[in-house]
Amino acid sequence: MQQRDVMAGERETGAIALRRAGPADAEAVRALTRAAYAKWVPVIGREPLPMTADYEHAVRAHRIDLLVAAGELAALIEMVPEQNVLLIENVAVAPAFQGRGLGRRLMAHAEVVAREFGLGRVRLYTNARFAENVALYRRLGYAIDREERFRGGVVVHMSRVV
């Protein structure tokens, strides 16, 4: 049986709930991620790494929380606890749900998870060509730690103290 939690500040009205992903969710995680990242393929000329990840492995090895809105999988966040930091491996919002603040909610959720794990920092990385994502993370208080070349592009590493 999978755990089902209501997001902080929400009543379970069928509108928005958060639950942990399990092995049976791997295909749904893959499908949502592929749909969410499809808009970036023409920007960078290839599929972003989350589109090619092994989600059968990820749902077992990482913490993936699913945001369900009105009974439909709307967004997800994949997190990996590391030494002294929580890595946000992936945040994906289904195209039909983008622009509604669900990504922001999930980013705030990651900070709560980091504190629950006793971790004082959250980190993430993104492609520099995903300018709207970099701008969002900066607005949320993430600082750029470093940039590095990767597959003909630049990866931006960012973090935030929680």
Side-chain angles (χ1 to χ4, degrees):
M1 179 176 226
Q2 293 179 356
Q3 177 183 355
R4 182 178 174 94
D5 294 317
V6 178
M7 292 193 77
E10 296 285 339
R11 291 191 325 258
E12 187 167 6
T13 62
I16 296 178
L18 193 66
R19 71 172 177 83
R20 293 278 300 270
D25 296 307
E27 184 53 41
V29 168
R30 178 182 297 100
L32 185 145
T33 299
R34 290 190 61 78
Y37 281 82
K39 69 181 182 181
W40 299 116
V41 173
V43 173
I44 64 173
R46 64 171 173 79
E47 290 187 336
L49 293 181
M51 292 180 79
T52 63
D54 177 354
Y55 289 107
E56 283 76 15
H57 169 75
V59 296
R60 287 178 174 85
H62 304 159
R63 177 168 174 167
I64 301 178
D65 289 344
L66 308 176
L67 191 148
V68 179
E72 187 176 344
L73 179 57
L76 63 86
I77 188 163
E78 179 180 355
M79 300 165 283
V80 182
E82 298 177 333
Q83 186 175 2
N84 300 320
V85 67
L86 181 70
L87 169 64
I88 297 174
E89 182 75 20
N90 181 14
V91 177
V93 179
F97 290 91
Q98 290 177 4
R100 299 183 190 183
L102 299 182
R104 287 175 190 260
R105 285 179 182 243
L106 288 173
M107 295 296 291
H109 171 67
E111 293 179 15
V112 171
V113 170
R115 286 193 223 53
E116 288 172 357
F117 281 126
L119 303 172
R121 191 169 203 79
V122 177
R123 77 176 187 92
L124 58 85
Y125 54 90
T126 190
N127 193 301
R129 307 239 357 236
F130 302 173
E132 66 189 62
N133 291 357
V134 173
L136 170 64
Y137 300 142
R138 289 185 72 115
R139 285 192 305 275
L140 295 176
Y142 286 76
I144 295 174
D145 298 323
R146 72 182 194 283
E147 295 182 354
E148 68 179 326
R149 292 233 164 264
F150 180 76
R151 290 190 174 180
V154 176
V155 175
V156 179
H157 295 266
M158 304 177 81
S159 67
R160 172 184 163 91
V161 173
V162 294

